[in-house]
Amino acid sequence: MRSGLWAICLSLGLAACTAAPSSDVVRQPANVGDAKIAALSYKNSGQYDRDLTAVAAKAQSWLTRRSPAVARPALVLDIDETALSNWPVIQRDDFGRPIGGPCDLAADAPCGWAAWDQLGVDEAIAPTLALYRAAIAAKVDVFFITGRPENQRMATERNLVTAGYAGYAKLYMVPDGAHFPSASAFKAPIRAQIEQQGYTIVANVGDQPSDLAGGHAEKAFQLPNPFYRVP
Ligand SMILES: [Mg+2]
């Protein structure tokens, strides 16, 4: 078999039988296993929390400086990995994002994200909660705009309050069954609606570029999230 292969190789020329050149290898995407190790290290080292704190502090500084100068100041917040942390399910799912399926916290098994959201047990992202409290104290109305569907409203509203986000102005959620090509296609028009009510959105804070794209905010602040991407 091998001698037959070599005979073919010789007939084609030896160059055709050499190993794949390294230039082919460098074009492959980042190794997902390596990326997961790096993301875990980023979280466990405390750097994630420090970066969250740094971005939220910039947003808070801008908000407290700017909001007294506008008539109806508003703050817009995303929910997942912005106001609330899903770290327990991110870790449990090994950075996967299965939406369907059960979530039994007593079982040694992955969780479906929809079932996880219905549990309503997320903890606050502390630097964002500090920003939220500063906004409320400064009489800034806070709007949440989330990609979560309406069928998660009860669990999400309860979770927001138990995590410390009481007293917000309104929570916008995706209508059940609706599909958008990107989060920005849903979120930017809602920010426009808020402006049409007479508000100035002083700051828009999210963890995904798609939370912030499309304008309708004086300044946008992107929190770190190397754990998943929302188009
Ligand atoms: Mg998010």
Side-chain angles (χ1 to χ4, degrees):
M1 183 74 180
R2 186 175 174 80
S3 61
L5 178 63
W6 274 107
I8 294 169
C9 283
L10 285 168
S11 71
L12 294 172
L14 285 173
C17 297
T18 55
S22 59
S23 59
D24 282 354
V25 173
V26 298
R27 288 199 293 266
Q28 70 176 330
N31 183 282
V32 172
D34 290 342
K36 288 195 288 189
I37 291 168
L40 195 62
S41 172
Y42 179 63
K43 174 71 168 73
N44 290 342
S45 69
Q47 191 60 50
Y48 172 58
D49 287 338
R50 288 192 287 277
D51 289 349
L52 287 170
T53 299
V55 176
K58 282 184 182 174
Q60 187 170 329
S61 173
W62 165 248
L63 188 87
T64 53
R65 193 167 74 249
R66 175 63 178 160
S67 57
V70 302
R72 295 188 76 188
L75 168 67
V76 168
L77 296 175
D78 166 59
I79 290 186
D80 293 298
E81 272 50 69
T82 296
L84 300 177
S85 170
N86 294 281
W87 181 248
V89 75
I90 291 169
Q91 196 169 29
R92 174 180 281 256
D93 289 352
D94 193 27
F95 302 98
R97 292 264 287 163
I99 303 301
C103 182
D104 179 359
L105 296 181
D108 181 18
C111 267
W113 271 65
W116 162 261
D117 287 342
Q118 294 290 8
L119 296 177
V121 293
D122 290 358
E123 293 185 1
I125 290 193
T128 305
L129 183 56
L131 167 65
Y132 176 86
R133 286 175 170 155
I136 296 295
K139 309 288 187 207
V140 174
D141 282 352
V142 182
F143 296 87
F144 289 101
I145 308 178
T146 179
R148 292 187 183 193
E150 280 288 348
N151 65 54
Q152 295 179 6
R153 177 171 291 276
M154 279 183 62
T156 301
E157 288 182 341
R158 188 179 69 242
N159 198 158
L160 284 171
V161 170
T162 57
Y165 296 97
Y168 57 87
K170 188 165 180 175
L171 164 63
Y172 292 90
M173 309 186 83
V174 174
D176 289 334
H179 295 284
F180 295 88
S182 66
S184 60
F186 168 64
K187 294 187 170 194
I190 290 177
R191 294 197 300 277
Q193 281 179 34
I194 293 168
E195 288 177 339
Q196 284 160 12
Q197 294 166 35
Y199 285 100
T200 297
I201 299 174
V202 173
N204 176 24
V205 182
D207 63 287
Q208 303 283 327
S210 56
D211 292 326
L212 311 175
H216 297 290
E218 289 194 322
K219 280 187 188 288
F221 297 88
Q222 188 179 333
L223 299 169
N225 180 1
F227 312 129
Y228 58 84
R229 173 66 67 230
V230 177

